[in-house]
C-alpha cells in the first residue's frame, strides 16, 4: 500500500481551488452535457517505472469503471458502478458503490469498500471545448478533480488535474493530441508531487 502522508498546505490549497473551479464552471456555463454511451481506456507510463491505467464504460444510465496503479511500494486496483443522474441544463451527477484492493511490496493485501460521488460536465466553447470532472470517494477519503480544455479544431487538449487520499497526493498537467478524427489520443505530461514525466495513450469513443 502507499505510504500515508501529510499533505502540504500549498497542495491542499491548489487541490481545493481546482475542484472548486470545476463546480463554479458547472454553474456558470450552460448548456452543457456529459452523458453518452461510450468507452474510455487510458494508460500512462512514468519515467520512474510507475503505471496508471483507467477503463470506463457508460451504457444508458450506468457507468462502470476500473483503475489500476503500479508504484514503487505496491499496486492498487479500484472498481466502481455508478448510477447516472443527468441535470437539466447541463452536467451529470453519478453515485454508487466503489471497491479497492491494494497489495504492498511485501505481499500484504488490503480490501476496502465505499461510496463514490461525482459530477461531470462538457460544453463546447467558442474556440474549443471544456470537460470538467469532480469526484469524491469514502475509501481513504479519496478525491479527484480535472479540467480539460480542447483547443479549437486542432485535436489538441490541455488538461490539469489533482487527486489524493489518505495515502497519496498528486497534481498533474498534460497535453494530448487526437490522431485524425478517430478515437486514439497520444498524451504526455508532468506529475508535480512525484516529480516525474509521463507518456500515455488513450482511446475515447464518447
Amino acid at each position: 500500500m502507499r505510504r500515508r502522508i501529510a499533505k502540504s498546505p500549498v497542495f491542499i490549497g491548489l487541490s481545493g481551488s481546482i475542484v472548486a473551479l470545476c463546480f463554479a464552471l458547472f454553474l456558470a456555463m450552460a448548456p452543457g452535457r456529459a452523458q453518452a454511451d461510450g468507452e474510455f481506456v487510458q494508460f500512462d507510463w512514468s519515467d520512474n517505472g510507475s503505471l496508471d491505467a483507467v477503463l470506463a464504460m457508460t451504457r444508458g444510465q450506468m457507468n462502470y469503471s476500473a483503475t489500476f496503479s503500479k508504484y514503487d511500494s505496491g499496486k492498487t486496483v479500484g472498481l466502481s458502478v455508478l448510477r447516472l443522474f443527468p441535470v437539466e441544463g447541463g452536467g451529470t451527477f453519478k453515485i454508487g458503490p466503489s471497491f479497492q484492493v491494494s497489495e504492498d511490496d511485501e505481499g500484504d493485501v488490503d480490501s476496502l469498500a465505499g461510496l463514490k460521488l461525482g459530477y461531470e460536465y462538457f460544453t463546447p466553447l467558442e474556440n474549443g471545448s471544456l470537460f470538467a470532472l469532480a469526484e469524491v470517494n469514502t475509501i481513504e477519503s479519496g478525491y479527484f478533480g480535472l479540467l480539460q480544455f480542447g483547443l479549437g479544431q486542432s485535436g489538441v487538449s490541455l488538461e490539469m488535474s489533482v487527486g489524493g487520499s489518505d495515502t497519496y497526493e498528486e497534481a498533474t498537467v498534460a497535453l494530448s493530441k487526437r490522431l485524425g478524427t478517430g478515437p486514439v489520443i497520444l498524451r504526455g505530461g508532468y506529475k508535480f508531487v512525484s516529480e516525474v514525466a509521463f507518456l500515455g495513450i488513450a482511446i475515447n469513443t464518447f
Side-chain angles (χ1 to χ4, degrees):
M1 294 171 288
R2 303 183 194 185
R3 177 174 55 88
R4 186 172 296 272
I5 58 176
K7 296 178 174 58
S8 69
V10 174
F11 182 84
I12 293 173
L14 175 63
S15 302
S17 297
I18 291 183
V19 174
L21 181 57
C22 289
F23 281 106
L25 288 167
F26 299 153
L27 297 175
M29 304 181 68
R33 61 181 178 82
Q35 182 187 357
D37 284 359
E39 301 81 28
F40 177 78
V41 182
Q42 180 175 287
F43 295 90
D44 287 338
W45 293 270
S46 300
D47 56 13
N48 64 352
S50 65
L51 166 66
D52 293 295
V54 179
L55 168 63
M57 178 176 66
T58 295
R59 292 292 183 271
Q61 301 299 315
M62 300 300 296
N63 174 264
Y64 311 91
S65 67
T67 61
F68 174 80
S69 295
K70 178 182 178 296
Y71 37 93
D72 57 359
S73 59
K75 51 185 176 288
T76 297
V77 175
L79 302 171
S80 65
V81 179
L82 307 180
R83 176 70 161 83
L84 305 180
F85 297 92
V87 178
E88 185 176 356
T92 302
F93 277 107
K94 50 187 181 179
I95 186 171
S98 56
F99 310 91
Q100 178 179 293
V101 179
S102 300
E103 181 181 3
D104 63 22
D105 51 8
E106 296 180 352
D108 295 328
V109 177
D110 189 15
S111 300
L112 298 170
L115 184 69
K116 187 175 183 180
L117 172 68
Y119 193 103
E120 58 184 41
Y121 185 95
F122 173 84
T123 189
L125 301 175
E126 182 177 351
N127 295 307
S129 62
L130 166 71
F131 175 73
L133 171 67
E135 294 179 336
V136 292
N137 196 330
T138 62
I139 296 178
E140 296 184 333
S141 304
Y143 66 92
F144 181 74
L146 176 146
L147 290 174
Q148 184 182 72
F149 297 93
L151 306 180
Q153 303 300 316
S154 63
V156 176
S157 296
L158 173 65
E159 175 184 310
M160 299 173 288
S161 66
V162 292
S165 71
D166 293 334
T167 58
Y168 86 103
E169 61 183 26
E170 194 56 83
T172 301
V173 171
L175 199 65
S176 63
K177 176 66 170 73
R178 185 180 292 271
L179 301 183
T181 59
V184 179
I185 300 168
L186 300 181
R187 49 188 267 115
Y190 188 77
K191 298 180 179 181
F192 290 94
V193 177
S194 302
E195 299 182 336
V196 295
F198 68 90
L199 293 174
I201 186 170
I203 298 175
N204 188 350
T205 67
F206 285 97

